[in-house]
Amino acid sequence: MDLRVLQYFLAVAREQTISGAAEALHMTQPPLSRQLKELEEELGRQLFLRGSRQITLTREGMLLRRRAEEILALVEKTKSEVRSVDETVEGDVFIGGGESEGMRPIARAVAAVRRDHPGIRFHFYSGDGYDVAERLDQGLLDFGAFIEPTDVRKYDSLRLPRPDAWGLLMRRDDPLAGREAITPADLLQVPLLPSRQLMGENGLAGWLGCDAAQLHIVSTGNLLTNLLLLVEEGVGCALTLDGLARNRGENLVFRPLAPRLVSWIFLVWKKYPLFTPAAELFLRRLKAELDGSASA
């Protein structure tokens, strides 16, 4: 299996027809069909269901599509790293993390690096700790920003200076909207939309004083955007961080938990990394940014 065949496979998966993929690849249909047939024979699995109008992927085909996208992304990242090894610092830096105001030191470091080195490009991937850890471990990211609760011991890490406070995001007409803060007893009474990571790590158990299984969970999510829509439609209240809830709609309110519950953000990277000059420069600039904040 070579990279060119994976590109052919992804083109067919994307276009859903041999003719459309052949046109996108600037080649004729017979050699493309032959390459796909040889790929299925090599893997010993059927990858496509060939209908009269379009081609769809089998379960094995969907798995290969995911892996092929990861492989080709890693190849492009590796090319960028190799090309960046020269006297002029250029290249790409890949950062994954949640969307929070606590990420601002990272944004400031990016701005500082870009002022001095406009040839460095930054690529951000949004996801929760599970998503980011997977891509970091696969080599698709240089850095990941993890929000507690999460275990960062297998990585090198920096703790960012501003923790986020947990609270409840709800509609203004919700009975709890008039409260200054939300107690454990309050939380047990409402339909909740918590983050997938918070529930997966059982990060509420100590604060609640009981098993989080007693909560009324109606939906979970890995990012807040879709949960916001559910809150607006009255499905429930989102258990989230103040740094994530800053861009809430006018009809929503955020109330902190009491007693206060906070989560720190950690920027992590693999132990013993082989950084590109661009990634190494970013990390040095971020450390300087954090040192400056601490001494200010």
Side-chain angles (χ1 to χ4, degrees):
M1 184 191 310
D2 62 33
L3 297 178
R4 177 173 50 86
V5 175
L6 290 181
Q7 291 172 332
Y8 292 169
F9 167 78
L10 288 177
V12 174
R14 182 174 59 251
E15 300 295 334
Q16 297 185 312
T17 64
I18 296 290
S19 59
E23 182 178 352
L25 293 167
H26 305 292
M27 63 187 299
T28 58
Q29 294 185 44
L32 177 57
S33 296
R34 184 171 62 253
Q35 292 282 359
L36 295 176
K37 186 173 184 298
E38 292 176 356
L39 178 61
E40 288 183 316
E41 291 174 351
E42 178 184 354
L43 295 175
R45 292 290 186 272
Q46 183 180 358
L47 301 175
F48 300 100
L49 296 174
R50 295 165 173 82
S52 58
R53 293 182 177 272
Q54 68 179 24
I55 291 176
T56 57
L57 295 176
T58 63
R59 186 172 66 174
E60 292 82 1
M62 288 187 285
L63 174 61
L64 180 60
R65 178 176 187 170
R66 179 183 176 188
R67 295 307 183 200
E69 289 172 342
E70 292 172 352
I71 289 168
L72 293 176
L74 185 56
V75 167
E76 290 303 313
K77 183 175 182 292
T78 302
K79 287 180 180 178
S80 172
E81 291 173 351
V82 173
R83 290 168 182 158
S84 69
V85 182
D86 55 27
E87 293 182 359
T88 302
V89 181
E90 296 180 341
D92 300 272
V93 180
F94 297 82
I95 304 171
E99 298 174 343
S100 168
E101 178 66 22
M103 296 280 285
R104 188 167 293 279
I106 293 175
R108 290 191 180 118
V110 168
V113 169
R114 286 280 305 160
R115 281 195 296 270
D116 297 331
H117 303 276
I120 297 179
R121 296 169 298 277
F122 289 85
H123 308 273
F124 283 84
Y125 170 82
S126 293
D128 64 13
Y130 300 133
D131 300 325
V132 173
E134 181 180 6
R135 296 180 73 87
L136 186 64
D137 293 342
Q138 291 170 348
L140 299 174
L141 297 173
D142 297 304
F143 303 97
F146 290 174
I147 301 175
E148 292 180 314
T150 190
D151 187 356
V152 300
R153 289 175 295 179
K154 74 181 227 182
Y155 304 104
D156 285 330
S157 65
L158 282 174
R159 194 177 77 172
L160 301 187
R162 181 190 180 278
D164 275 337
W166 287 93
L168 203 62
L169 186 65
M170 68 199 87
R171 290 179 15 162
R172 287 189 180 276
D173 59 1
D174 191 283
L176 292 178
R179 304 282 185 88
E180 293 186 0
I182 304 300
T183 67
D186 295 329
L187 214 56
L188 293 172
Q189 307 302 318
V190 297
L192 290 176
L193 314 169
S195 73
R196 177 181 64 168
Q197 182 175 328
L198 181 66
M199 299 313 300
E201 301 294 339
N202 203 16
L204 275 177
W207 180 84
L208 279 171
C210 62
D211 193 334
Q214 295 184 34
L215 296 173
H216 179 32
I217 308 297
V218 297
S219 179
T220 65
N222 66 329
L223 291 174
L224 185 62
T225 304
N226 288 333
L227 295 182
L228 277 176
L229 298 178
L230 296 177
V231 175
E232 290 176 342
E233 294 300 322
V235 175
C237 302
L239 189 59
T240 187
L241 296 165
D242 59 355
L244 298 177
R246 287 178 180 271
N247 295 324
R248 59 184 180 266
E250 294 182 359
N251 295 324
L252 303 180
V253 296
F254 177 87
R255 296 292 180 260
L257 300 184
R260 193 166 183 255
L261 179 65
V262 301
S263 286
W264 293 90
I265 300 177
F266 292 83
L267 186 77
V268 307
W269 58 94
K270 287 184 177 181
K271 290 183 180 290
Y272 316 111
L274 184 61
F275 278 143
T276 64
E280 188 173 349
L281 182 63
F282 162 74
L283 184 57
R284 288 203 309 269
R285 189 63 190 84
L286 178 61
K287 288 179 177 179
E289 174 75 28
L290 297 181
D291 289 342
S293 299
S295 60

